[in-house]
């Protein structure tokens, strides 16, 4: 495991402290992974095959599905493998996992803001919707989401690569994430922690604020609608997004806004499960079950098969 004094591979503890739950946990994570990938792929195929869903809202939903597949495919296959085989991961494999996970995390946070802006324009400024949310604008926003999140993960991964790991190679987590990795470094990590804090303020707190302001304006606009049916349809359009946003932002902010020294093994692993496994699995269900247009298109697609 060691080459001189430097770590060449890491031992991922995962959920090894609960040996009596290994089989139920393995089956649970396997089901979550299969549901996340199949559900998000189904969303992508349904939207792509349905011309009526070729609108900005569903364009961003396809991007969200891509991000969720990237996130779960980065984390869960290795977790499942470690539960039945070796619990080690190479240094390069760990840094690769960190890169792609951080990329998907940043992209998802930014996508939530883009989706909130789309709903804000649709409900509060409907006469300007076609101009403000045209194809070029949507492509620009999506490109910005992927570019900013790629820059963010490149910075964090580069900073992590410069740190030596010589005291221990045991990761008290089920994947390679910034907080538990910083605890293993035998060099000062103030710069890494400062950058992680800044990224969390911008990507999580900042985007959460933008999203909440957008929905505050949306709610105020909805309350001015006279018909009860109009209010119901408007709230139905936004409620699914709010459910996902509230769950995702709260767990990410909790994990990254604190110094690595306050990382707690059991508590933080449970929180991480929410945004790495549960949220990507629930996204297709929430958007499908609470969206009439998607349900109609899905039924039409399945009837043709």
């Amino acid at each position: 495991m060691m080459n001189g004094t430097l770590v060449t591979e890491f031992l991922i503890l995962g959920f090894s402290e609960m040996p009596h739950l290994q089989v139920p946990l393995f089956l649970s994570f396997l089901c979550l992974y299969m549901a996340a990938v199949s559900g998000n792929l189904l969303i992508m195929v349904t939207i792509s095959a349905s011309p009526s869903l070729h609108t900005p809202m569903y364009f961003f939903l396809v991007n969200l599905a891509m991000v969720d597949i990237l996130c779960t495919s980065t984390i869960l296959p290795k977790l499942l493998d470690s539960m039945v085989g070796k619990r080690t991961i190479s240094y390069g494999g760990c840094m690769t996992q960190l890169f792609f996970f951080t990329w998907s995390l940043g992209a998802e946070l930014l996508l939530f803001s883009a989706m909130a802006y789309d709903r804000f324009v649709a409900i509060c400024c409907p006469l300007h919707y076609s101009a403000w949310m045209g194809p070029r604008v949507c492509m620009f926003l999506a490109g910005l989401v992927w570019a900013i999140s790629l820059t963010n993960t490149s910075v964090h991964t580069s900073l992590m690569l410069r740190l030596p790991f010589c005291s221990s190679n045991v990761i008290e987590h089920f994947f390679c994430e910034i907080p538990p990795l910083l605890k293993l470094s035998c060099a000062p990590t103030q710069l890494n922690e400062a950058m992680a804090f800044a990224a969390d303020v911008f990507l999580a707190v900042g985007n959460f604020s933008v999203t909440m302001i957008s929905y505050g304006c949306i709610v105020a606009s909805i309350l001015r609608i006279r018909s009860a049916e109009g209010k119901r349809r408007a709230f139905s359009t936004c409620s699914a997004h709010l459910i996902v946003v509230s769950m995702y932002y709260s767990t990410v902010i909790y994990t990254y806004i604190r110094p690595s020294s306050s990382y707690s093994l059991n508590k933080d692993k449970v929180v991480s499960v929410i945004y790495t496994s549960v949220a990507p699995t629930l996204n297709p269900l929430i958007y499908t079950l609470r969206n009439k247009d998607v349900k109609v298109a899905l039924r039409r697609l399945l009837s043709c098969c």
Side-chain angles (χ1 to χ4, degrees), residues 71-128:
C71 177
T72 53
S73 297
T74 300
I75 303 300
L76 295 185
K78 181 58 185 175
L79 171 61
L80 293 170
D81 177 63
S82 67
M83 296 179 78
V84 296
K86 291 200 311 179
R87 288 188 286 122
T88 57
I89 183 172
S90 67
Y91 177 85
C94 185
M95 294 301 112
T96 300
Q97 188 180 64
L98 174 69
F99 178 88
F100 284 104
F101 167 71
T102 308
W103 190 8
S104 67
L105 180 68
E108 185 135 357
L109 294 169
L110 289 164
L111 272 172
F112 286 149
S113 287
M115 295 169 74
Y117 172 71
D118 170 69
R119 291 301 82 205
F120 165 77
V121 177
I123 294 175
C124 299
C125 312
L127 297 179
H128 300 285

Side-chain angles (χ1 to χ4, degrees), residues 27-292:
L27 294 175
S28 298
F29 283 115
L30 179 62
C31 290
L32 283 172
Y33 181 56
M34 294 175 62
V37 173
S38 59
N40 283 292
L41 281 176
L42 187 59
I43 286 289
M44 293 170 64
V45 172
T46 301
I47 294 174
S48 300
S50 306
S52 61
L53 298 182
H54 293 177
T55 63
M57 182 174 75
Y58 298 109
F59 170 76
F60 290 121
L61 186 54
V62 167
N63 278 267
L64 183 64
M66 292 169 59
V67 169
D68 286 337
I69 291 174
L70 174 63
C71 177
T72 53
S73 297
T74 300
I75 303 300
L76 295 185
K78 181 58 185 175
L79 171 61
L80 293 170
D81 177 63
S82 67
M83 296 179 78
V84 296
K86 291 200 311 179
R87 288 188 286 122
T88 57
I89 183 172
S90 67
Y91 177 85
C94 185
M95 294 301 112
T96 300
Q97 188 180 64
L98 174 69
F99 178 88
F100 284 104
F101 167 71
T102 308
W103 190 8
S104 67
L105 180 68
E108 185 135 357
L109 294 169
L110 289 164
L111 272 172
F112 286 149
S113 287
M115 295 169 74
Y117 172 71
D118 170 69
R119 291 301 82 205
F120 165 77
V121 177
I123 294 175
C124 299
C125 312
L127 297 179
H128 300 285
Y129 187 71
S130 59
W132 292 1
M133 292 303 297
R136 288 186 178 180
V137 176
C138 291
M139 291 297 293
F140 173 76
L141 289 175
L144 206 60
V145 165
W146 288 100
I148 292 176
S149 56
L150 178 60
T151 302
N152 175 65
T153 190
S154 298
V155 170
H156 287 299
T157 307
S158 298
L159 288 174
M160 192 65 70
L161 286 169
R162 59 183 280 276
L163 293 178
F165 299 94
C166 51
S167 57
S168 172
N169 71 331
V170 180
I171 299 177
E172 297 181 346
H173 205 6
F174 61 91
F175 70 101
C176 295
E177 193 175 15
I178 292 174
L181 282 175
L182 291 183
K183 289 190 70 174
L184 300 182
S185 177
C186 50
T189 61
Q190 287 90 341
L191 178 58
N192 298 69
E193 292 189 16
M195 292 302 297
F197 180 84
D200 194 49
V201 169
F202 171 69
L203 292 174
V205 179
N207 282 283
F208 182 66
S209 301
V210 169
T211 302
M212 289 298 102
I213 291 172
S214 297
Y215 277 101
C217 296
I218 289 171
V219 170
S221 181
I222 290 174
L223 293 176
R224 290 195 293 268
I225 299 176
R226 294 184 178 182
S227 67
E229 178 64 17
K231 289 182 180 179
R232 188 195 66 78
R233 290 187 62 185
F235 272 120
S236 177
T237 302
C238 303
S239 58
H241 188 197
L242 280 174
I243 293 171
V244 176
V245 164
S246 300
M247 176 174 60
Y248 203 85
Y249 277 118
S250 59
T251 53
V252 171
I253 291 173
Y254 169 81
T255 300
Y256 287 91
I257 206 73
R258 303 166 301 142
S260 60
S261 57
S262 64
Y263 180 80
S264 171
L265 174 61
N266 295 321
K267 187 189 302 182
D268 286 28
K269 278 199 293 190
V270 173
V271 172
S272 296
V273 167
I274 295 175
Y275 58 80
T276 60
S277 309
V278 177
T281 304
L282 290 180
N283 282 348
L285 296 175
I286 291 173
Y287 282 107
T288 301
L289 295 176
R290 299 189 62 85
N291 191 299
K292 182 180 178 181

